[in-house]
Amino acid sequence: MPPRRLGSSGFRGVRVRPRGRFYTEIRAGGFRLTLGTYNTPELAARAYDAAAWRFRRPRRDMNFPDVESLEEAEFLAPAPCLVDDEDRRRHRQVQRRIAIAEHDEQLMRQWRAQFPNDVDNTDAFFADLRAQRRSNRRHRRAVAEFELENPNTTWTENDPRWDDIWTETTSDDE
C-alpha cells in the first residue's frame, strides 16, 4: 500500500481549518480520535505523534521520526485540552446569556412594530436631552471664557471649571 499523502498543512493527521487554525485527529481500529485544534501545524503534529506513540505506530507513520520515546513525544506535545465540568458550566452560562439577549432583541422588534409612537417619543426625548447637554456645555464654556478675561476672578488656579474652556460645544457625543 502506498504511503498516505500529507495534507495541506504538510503534516500527517493535521488539517487546516477555515480560520487558520489546525485540527488534528488520528484513526485507530475503525474510529477517529479527535486530538484538538491548535494555533500552529507543528503543535498539532506533535499532538498527533504523541497519540501515534500511544497506539504503538511505526516511526514511518509519525511526523517527527527523530523522537525516541513516548515520554519525549508527550513532553514535546502541547498539553491536552480537557473539558471539565467547569468548562461545561461556563459554556451553558454563556449560551443562556446569548439566548436572553436574542430574546430581548426579538421583544424590542415586536414592541417597536406594535408601538411606533413610543419609539418616536423615545427618539424625541433623547434628542431633547442631547440639546440640553449641548446648551449646558455652551453655557459652561461662556462662563469659563468670561472668567478668563476677568482680572478679578474668584476662581483658583487649579479650579476644574477652567477645563470648560476647551469643552466641545458642537458634538452630539453625550
Side-chain angles (χ1 to χ4, degrees), residues 140 142-162 165:
R140 288 192 336 254
V143 169
E145 288 173 350
F146 173 78
E147 288 294 328
L148 181 65
E149 295 171 5
N150 183 3
N152 298 326
T153 184
T154 58
W155 291 6
T156 63
E157 192 174 304
N158 296 328
D159 196 316
R161 293 178 288 183
W162 289 117
I165 290 175

